[in-house]
Amino acid sequence: MNKQTVKDIDLKDKKVIMRADFNVPLDDNLAITDDIRIKAAIPTIKYILEQNPKKLILMSHMGRPNGQVVENMRLTPVAQRLEKLLGEGVFKCDDCTGAGVQSDIAEKSERVILLENLRFHKEETDNDAGFAQELASLADVYVNDAFGTAHRAHASTEGIAKNLPAVAGFLLEKEIAYLGEAVKNPQRPFVVILGGAKVSDKILLVENLISKADAILIGGGMAYTFLKSQGKEIGNSKLEADKVDIAGDLLEKAKAANVNIELTQDFLVVDKFDNIASRKIVDEIDEGWESLDIGPKTIEAFKKVLSTAKTIIWNGPVGVFEIDEYAEGTKAIAEYLATLKDANTIIGGGDSAAAVAKFKVDQDITHISTGGGASLEFLEGKALPGIEALKDKN
Ligand code: AMP
C-alpha cells in the first residue's frame, strides 16, 4: 500500500483521533448481537496505546439517525464492549464536538475516549468543512481504520484528513492489501463468483473484472437477466428488464476478452415464494415458476472451475440463502471454498460474509472484508475517498 500507517508516524505524547467502524447491530435491549467490527479495530487500538499517546479519541457512526440525536443509537454499548476487550476504562462523551467534549478530553483520567455517534450531526455526512475542523481540533494525529465507510467522503473519513497528519490503521491496511493484491496482481487462475439480488448493483464490477479475471461464475438473482439476454425462459424469476441489453453486452465483452463466464445451468424452482412452496430442480424454467437457488449441476460446474483457481473473490449469495430451503447452493459454494487450501479466498463483505458465517466456514477463508459497499467500490476500480485522503508513503 502506498499510504502511511500508524507505524510511520510518532504517536508518543500525541492526542490521536481514530475513525473506526463500530456500526454494530443491537437488539431491542440495546445489547450488541455481533461485535466483529469492534474486535476488528482492536489491533490498531492496542498498537496506538502501546506508543504511549496522550489520549486516544475514538469515533464512529451507528445506524442512520439522519442528523438527529436518536437515543437507541448512542454508542454507550460500544464503550462498554471496548472496555471489556481492552481491559481498561473507556470514557464516552455525550457529543462528538463542542466545549463539553474538549473538557472531557482534557480532564478525564481515562486514556481512551469515545465520541458520541457522528451521524447525530448532519454535517458528518455532508462532509462539512467546519465540522471536520472541529473534529480535527481535538487531536494532533488522525488515523482511519474504518474500511466499511472508506467509500464515503464524510467529515470523519475525508474532511478531517485535510486538517491533520492522516494515516491508516491496520484493518484498513489489511483490507487494501488483500483486495488490492487480488485485483492488481492475482495468482492465476483468478475466478470471481458473483450473486446477489440485482445486476444493476454489479454492472461496474463485472466490467472491471472482465479485464482481470480468468473466469466469472454468475448465480443468484442477477443470473436471470443474463440468461434472458441469451433468449432463455426464466419464468417469474428476478428480472431487470432494462438491464437485459447491458447484460448481453457484458457477455459479448467477456467472450472477446477470453474470460470464461458460467451462468446458472439448472435451477431450484418454486411455484410461490415461501418456505412451504412446491419445489423441484429443473434445467429449464417453465412459466409460472420462480428460481431461488442454483441446482446441483451448476454447483458441480462452479466447483470444477474453482478447483484449479489460485485467487477467488466471492461477492453475493447464489440463492436466497436466508431461507434454509433455498440455501443449498450458497452453502455448497461456501463449504467448497473452505476446502481450497492452495487458493487465496476472499469474501467481499455484506451478504456473502453473512453466508460464510452462517455455514460456519469463516475460519477457513483467507480474508473476509469488513466492508460490503466499500469492497464493492474498491473491486470496481474506484478510488475510495477515505483512503485517498491519507498521507502517501515517501
Ligand atoms: P446483494 O445485497 O445484492 O448481495 O443481494 C443479496 C440478496 O440476494 C440476498 O438477500 C438473497 O436472498 C438474494 N438472492 C440471491 N439469489 C436470489 C434469487 N435467485 N432470487 C431472488 N433473490 C436472490
Side-chain angles (χ1 to χ4, degrees), residues 195-198 201-202 219-224 237-238 268 273 290-294 315-323 326 330 349-352:
K198 291 202 272 162
D201 291 343
K202 312 271 163 90
M222 64 185 279
Y224 313 106
S237 310
K238 220 172 197 40
L268 173 67
F273 190 167
E290 175 178 4
S291 171
L292 295 179
D293 196 7
I294 58 175
N315 185 300
V318 295
V320 182
F321 78 103
E322 299 92 335
I323 301 175
Y326 315 126
T330 303
D351 281 307
S352 336

Side-chain angles (χ1 to χ4, degrees), residues 210-211 213-216 251-261:
I210 283 173
S211 61
D214 299 297
I216 303 180
L251 293 179
E252 286 299 317
K253 276 190 194 160
K255 208 166 155 194
N258 247 332
V259 176
N260 170 23
I261 292 212

Side-chain angles (χ1 to χ4, degrees), residues 141-336:
V141 175
Y142 168 68
V143 178
N144 189 354
D145 209 23
F147 182 73
T149 46
H151 59 314
R152 308 277 183 223
H154 291 169
S156 69
T157 62
E158 203 260 353
I160 188 172
K162 295 184 180 134
N163 299 282
L164 287 176
V167 299
F170 298 133
L171 177 63
L172 205 73
E173 184 187 29
K174 185 169 137 205
E175 293 272 11
I176 298 165
Y178 278 105
L179 297 171
E181 194 63 13
V183 283
K184 289 202 189 87
N185 194 17
Q187 289 218 59
R188 295 189 180 276
F190 172 25
V191 180
V192 182
I193 313 165
L194 296 179
K198 291 202 272 162
V199 186
S200 44
D201 291 343
K202 312 271 163 90
I203 292 169
L204 292 173
L205 182 64
V206 179
E207 258 176 4
N208 190 38
L209 293 175
I210 283 173
S211 61
K212 301 186 163 73
D214 299 297
I216 303 180
L217 313 176
I218 302 182
M222 64 185 279
Y224 313 106
T225 302
F226 283 93
L227 291 164
K228 188 81 181 175
S229 78
Q230 297 179 322
K232 302 247 164 70
E233 186 51 65
I234 61 163
N236 293 338
S237 310
K238 220 172 197 40
L239 171 69
E240 283 170 272
D242 60 336
K243 297 292 179 295
V244 173
D245 289 347
I246 294 175
D249 290 348
L250 289 172
L251 293 179
E252 286 299 317
K253 276 190 194 160
K255 208 166 155 194
N258 247 332
V259 176
N260 170 23
I261 292 212
E262 302 232 357
L263 301 175
T264 314
Q265 302 171 12
D266 61 339
F267 311 89
L268 173 67
V269 293
V270 297
D271 58 353
K272 56 179 181 304
F273 190 167
D274 63 28
N275 55 0
I276 51 159
S278 308
R279 44 179 189 273
K280 56 185 181 180
I281 302 285
V282 295
D283 289 337
E284 280 166 29
I285 307 169
D286 286 332
E287 213 173 289
W289 291 78
E290 175 178 4
S291 171
L292 295 179
D293 196 7
I294 58 175
K297 277 187 207 162
T298 311
I299 294 175
E300 286 316 307
F302 283 9
K303 280 191 191 172
K304 193 163 170 228
V305 178
L306 293 168
S307 66
T308 58
K310 288 282 182 292
T311 304
I312 300 167
I313 293 185
W314 184 14
N315 185 300
V318 295
V320 182
F321 78 103
E322 299 92 335
I323 301 175
D324 287 346
E325 283 80 358
Y326 315 126
E328 218 33 64
T330 303
K331 181 167 185 249
I333 300 297
E335 287 176 347
Y336 190 65

